[in-house]
Amino acid sequence: MELNMSFSNDMDDEYEKLFRRLNPPRVVIDNESCKNATVIRVDSANKHGILLDVVQILTDLDLIITKAYISSDGGWFMDVFNVTDQDGNKITDEPILDYIQKVRPESCFTSSMGSVGFKPSVDHTVIELTGSDRPGLLSEVCAVLTHLKCNVVSAEVWTHNTRAAAVMQVTEEETGSAISDPERLAGIKELLRNVLSGSNRSRGANTVVSHEAIHTDRRLHQMMFAARDYERSGGDSVDGCLGEKQRPDVSVVNWYDKDYSVVTIRSKDRPKLLFDTVCTLTDMEYVVFHANIDAEGPEAYQEYYIRHVDGSPVKSDAERQRVIQCLEAAIERRVSEQGLKLELCTTDRVGLLSDVTRIFRENSLTVTRAEVTTRGGKALNTFYVREASGCPVDAKTIDAIRQVIGQTILKVKGRPDDSKQASQESPTRFLFGGLFKSRSFVNFGLVRSYS
């Protein structure tokens, strides 16, 4: 019996591969029909995760998605995206247009919660860290790596709701190559885990060392999700600068006639917002059948018609609350407690990150987010910092730090713009209402009474 089931599954997989080969993705780029955006149409055989693939490709090209219409009922996937560059202009760069035309979305997706669909790297070692956030944590981690003669080539650090996650790419200080000695890797992993564990306050401290090349943002979302950063304990306050007025408005209702759950999200618009929400829905194993995205103004509106991969809509109030909490967390992770933005640009050297974060810690600043890159021998780092006490950063403190590091090396970019309060429109509007033409569409209601 097991042999027959295995054979059947293998046949299904082979049929799916054949179907995709016979129906490769078709991408049409239109710079004429819309006066203020480039329109990208994607038609493809449907599979779970393909929407995330497409959004990830566009996001990685630093394109801004201002509108999107998604439909993937049945075996076919049809998307329309209106995109601009960072300056709000149409996309006219031929290499970018050519790349979009030729790239195959299905090449970069895997549904696992591990490394995300890339070939192993021989150039660096990837270190993944998750644990409880605390003042000075990044400084302690960097000090340990420097002591172990590891050079941090790039890193991204997120903090949210008392959790911290980091993905770091490191090399051997002497050779500049990946760290390959198993015993050395085990020692690095153990020491970093001890740092994360702190004084018995750890919420699941975890360290992973690998040679996989991963998609950093996707992995950070997965790590934060696994660390359950969407759960708020009774003592947790609303994160830093993200007050109640700025928090996303997320709702989930069931459309019983069509067996869809409809997720609507209103929030301040920002780069990568669509990627963050689609990534989370995908990792929670929900399938997006239809969606409408409108982000042309300061507020973004997202609407998703979803079912779980098992074919069912949201089944209980507990599940509905979990979806809401996870989407709120996905949106907040990039902006939660950001604080003051500092940019550092200087010649790279071993131990630079350790020295800079130590200076922050000695001046009672904690890093809430960090993006560390090296390019052509230059360190290009962005830090979001705040006072360890939670108070606004004192200008005198920043002046003192810049005196030590260098006025031209460390620049202050100011605080994130205060969000305008989201418009208090009504009640929920469903932009896809006309698509289905159902007279009983008004029968939407909150999930209720499950047996």
Side-chain angles (χ1 to χ4, degrees):
M1 185 68 165
E2 289 182 2
L3 180 63
N4 289 338
M5 289 180 65
S6 175
F7 178 76
S8 175
N9 289 336
D10 289 343
M11 287 292 292
D12 289 344
D13 290 343
E14 289 303 315
Y15 175 79
E16 184 177 343
K17 291 177 184 176
L18 176 63
F19 182 76
R20 289 205 298 268
R21 282 198 298 269
L22 295 175
N23 300 275
R26 178 172 176 265
V27 179
V28 176
I29 299 175
D30 176 6
N31 257 328
E32 303 298 328
S33 62
C34 180
K35 68 178 183 178
N36 56 5
T38 297
V39 179
I40 299 174
R41 297 181 178 87
V42 182
D43 296 336
S44 171
N46 191 26
K47 71 181 182 70
H48 179 50
I50 192 168
L51 174 60
L52 176 57
D53 294 347
V54 175
V55 172
Q56 179 175 304
I57 289 167
L58 297 177
T59 302
D60 287 348
L61 290 170
D62 287 330
L63 303 182
I64 304 297
I65 300 171
T66 59
K67 279 182 176 291
Y69 306 92
I70 290 108
S71 181
S72 61
D73 254 337
W76 205 250
F77 169 85
M78 294 171 286
D79 278 11
V80 178
F81 297 91
N82 286 19
V83 303
T84 69
D85 63 19
Q86 293 287 326
D87 297 320
N89 302 315
K90 290 185 178 184
I91 313 304
T92 57
D93 190 307
E94 287 300 329
I96 291 179
L97 294 174
D98 188 57
Y99 177 81
I100 295 171
Q101 195 82 53
K102 293 178 179 178
V103 71
R104 290 292 173 262
E106 62 185 357
S107 65
C108 63
F109 175 77
T110 178
S111 60
S112 74
M113 288 292 282
S115 298
V116 185
F118 289 85
K119 294 180 180 178
S121 171
V122 296
D123 299 326
H124 55 256
T125 301
V126 177
I127 298 177
E128 300 176 359
L129 308 170
T130 51
S132 293
D133 187 27
R134 67 176 186 271
L137 178 60
L138 179 59
S139 174
E140 294 176 36
V141 168
C142 293
V144 168
L145 290 173
T146 299
H147 175 72
L148 294 171
K149 299 188 181 302
C150 299
N151 184 37
V152 179
V153 178
S154 69
E156 189 148 353
V157 181
W158 289 2
T159 63
H160 176 246
N161 194 21
T162 74
R163 276 74 155 184
V167 174
M168 296 179 155
Q169 296 179 355
V170 303
T171 59
E172 290 278 17
E173 178 182 321
E174 292 184 359
T175 65
S177 58
I179 303 168
S180 56
D181 181 2
E183 289 188 10
R184 180 155 157 70
L185 289 172
I188 292 171
K189 182 176 178 179
E190 184 62 27
L191 284 173
L192 289 175
R193 182 175 175 82
N194 290 340
V195 171
L196 289 172
S197 297
S199 55
N200 299 319
R201 296 189 311 134
S202 172
R203 280 168 145 176
N206 190 40
T207 306
V208 176
V209 178
S210 74
H211 293 97
E212 296 292 326
I214 62 175
H215 189 276
T216 301
D217 284 7
R218 278 222 60 199
R219 191 69 190 115
L220 283 166
H221 274 301
Q222 292 172 339
M223 291 161 65
M224 281 295 213
F225 178 74
R228 305 175 76 89
D229 74 320
Y230 52 87
E231 293 181 342
R232 296 184 185 276
S233 64
D236 291 339
S237 61
V238 176
D239 286 303
C241 66
L242 198 66
E244 287 291 348
K245 291 183 179 180
Q246 299 182 41
R247 295 195 62 197
D249 177 11
V250 183
S251 69
V252 180
V253 298
N254 273 9
W255 187 7
Y256 294 103
D257 288 356
K258 297 293 183 180
D259 276 339
Y260 288 128
S261 290
V262 183
V263 178
T264 58
I265 305 170
R266 289 186 181 86
S267 65
K268 181 184 178 184
D269 190 31
R270 60 163 175 77
K272 299 188 179 182
L273 177 63
L274 179 60
F275 170 83
D276 292 341
T277 54
V278 172
C279 183
T280 297
L281 287 171
T282 303
D283 286 338
M284 293 182 74
E285 298 194 311
Y286 289 102
V287 180
V288 176
F289 287 87
H290 302 279
N292 185 90
I293 310 300
D294 185 352
E296 288 190 310
E299 179 182 295
Y301 179 85
Q302 303 177 65
E303 177 179 286
Y304 301 96
Y305 292 71
I306 66 169
R307 295 184 191 129
H308 194 266
V309 290
D310 64 9
S312 65
V314 172
K315 297 177 182 177
S316 67
D317 190 61
E319 182 182 355
R320 181 175 69 87
Q321 288 296 335
R322 185 167 181 265
V323 172
I324 290 172
Q325 290 173 351
C326 288
L327 287 171
E328 287 177 345
I331 294 169
E332 292 173 356
R333 285 170 193 147
R334 285 190 198 272
V335 296
S336 171
E337 296 185 294
Q338 278 193 342
L340 190 68
K341 181 179 180 181
L342 304 176
E343 290 186 353
L344 181 143
C345 180
T346 187
T347 302
D348 189 34
R349 60 173 174 80
V350 175
L352 174 65
L353 187 59
S354 176
D355 290 343
V356 171
T357 53
R358 174 181 53 80
I359 292 169
F360 289 161
R361 176 169 55 85
E362 289 173 349
N363 284 273
S364 299
L365 296 185
T366 186
V367 177
T368 60
R369 251 192 75 206
E371 298 173 15
V372 176
T373 58
T374 54
R375 199 174 302 148
K378 285 283 188 181
L380 307 169
N381 302 341
T382 300
F383 302 97
Y384 293 88
V385 300
R386 59 179 172 83
E387 292 276 3
S389 64
C391 297
V393 178
D394 192 312
K396 293 180 180 179
T397 301
I398 296 300
D399 289 341
I401 291 173
R402 294 184 70 206
Q403 288 289 342
V404 175
I405 295 176
Q407 298 280 352
T408 59
I409 293 175
L410 186 67
K411 297 184 178 180
V412 182
K413 291 299 180 180
R415 299 179 187 281
D417 292 333
D418 291 334
S419 294
K420 295 180 181 178
Q421 183 173 358
S423 60
Q424 302 298 317
E425 298 179 12
S426 86
T428 313
R429 57 186 175 118
F430 295 101
L431 297 187
F432 262 23
L435 175 65
F436 300 102
K437 303 184 186 306
S438 170
R439 293 181 60 187
S440 56
F441 193 76
V442 294
N443 293 332
F444 267 98
L446 293 178
V447 181
R448 58 180 184 271
S449 60
Y450 298 91
S451 57

